[in-house]
Amino acid sequence: MSYRSTSRRDVMRALAIVPTMIAAPVAVSAATAFSSSTADRSAWATAMARYLKVKGEADHFHTTVYEVAERRLEPVSPPYRFPHTARNGSTVEYVLHPHQFSDYEIEPVDMWAFIRPQIEEAKLKYAAYTRECALIGYAEISNRSDTYGDMLADAEADLLNLPAPDLAGIRWKLEHLREVAEGCVIAQEDFDLILADISRIAGEAVA
């Protein structure tokens, strides 16, 4: 799996928020509020520094290594698509995956003679793809991409689960959820910690 696809596995992992305590605004002493805020800020700053470090490394790897490999492989990467226009004038797009090559073999009559040139071209492209993958070490690149995806998901989850120390922290959480919302459904429970942040900060503000 690629870093770019950080496919939604990483998104869902980042959203694995376990609600702790959802509290309504309460009046607390100024000393208690200060102590809580200081601890929250320290923990948040540490987690944010880790997140930014991981994200910077992941983005750099993605830009300088993974995307370069993807561009190199793109001309021969599966699946292989090609159109075919039948005698009646209708056009169909065929999509060939390498594991399907055996389905298009000649036995004993070539039922796919009308697209045989495209099938053979797809086989040649896949052979070239396999050679290129071995040449550039694509398996290792993909594994490193997965590792960065896991590290980034862990760092994001840590921030989402920590109490936000201020409105900037709450904004980061909301912007993060908005960013990943395109590819998944965010349940009501995913916002519980953010609501708790708002309740806590509102309580401290009026203390």
Side-chain angles (χ1 to χ4, degrees):
M1 183 179 64
S2 69
Y3 168 77
R4 177 168 54 203
S5 75
T6 320
S7 60
R8 297 296 175 184
R9 180 195 68 179
D10 296 330
V11 171
M12 295 308 295
R13 183 176 178 185
L15 290 178
I17 303 173
V18 180
T20 52
M21 179 180 296
I22 310 303
V26 293
V28 295
S29 68
T32 301
F34 176 79
S35 175
S36 173
S37 177
T38 300
D40 290 347
R41 288 180 185 279
S42 177
W44 181 269
T46 299
M48 179 59 75
R50 173 175 174 258
Y51 163 76
L52 292 175
K53 180 176 183 296
V54 172
K55 187 176 187 303
E57 292 177 358
D59 288 347
H60 178 74
F61 171 80
H62 183 231
T63 301
T64 63
V65 179
Y66 181 77
E67 285 189 348
V68 173
E70 286 287 290
R71 286 195 295 270
R72 179 168 175 170
L73 293 172
E74 185 176 5
V76 292
S77 293
Y80 307 105
R81 304 172 184 272
F82 55 87
H84 173 74
T85 301
R87 293 178 180 178
N88 64 5
S90 62
T91 299
V92 175
E93 181 184 56
Y94 286 84
V95 181
L96 294 184
H97 296 266
H99 71 271
Q100 297 175 315
F101 286 161
S102 60
D103 297 338
Y104 293 89
E105 295 298 330
I106 303 172
E107 46 168 79
V109 178
D110 189 0
M111 301 296 295
W112 304 99
F114 60 98
I115 56 170
R116 179 56 55 189
Q118 293 91 332
I119 293 172
E120 296 306 315
E121 182 182 1
K123 290 180 179 180
L124 291 175
K125 284 186 176 180
Y126 183 63
Y129 171 79
T130 302
R131 290 193 300 270
E132 285 294 306
C133 284
L135 185 63
I136 66 176
Y138 186 70
E140 175 60 25
I141 292 174
S142 182
N143 288 337
R144 287 180 62 191
S145 176
D146 285 347
T147 298
Y148 275 122
D150 290 340
M151 292 170 61
L152 189 59
D154 288 342
E156 291 168 344
D158 286 347
L159 281 169
L160 288 168
N161 282 284
L162 278 176
D166 49 32
L167 292 179
I170 292 175
R171 178 172 181 171
W172 182 91
K173 290 186 178 184
L174 289 173
E175 287 181 342
H176 175 71
L177 293 181
R178 182 180 65 177
E179 179 181 348
V180 301
E182 179 181 354
C184 60
V185 176
I186 300 178
Q188 178 178 340
E189 292 78 10
D190 295 326
F191 290 95
D192 285 348
L193 288 180
I194 298 177
L195 293 173
D197 290 334
I198 295 172
S199 296
R200 188 189 68 259
I201 291 174
E204 293 175 359
V206 300

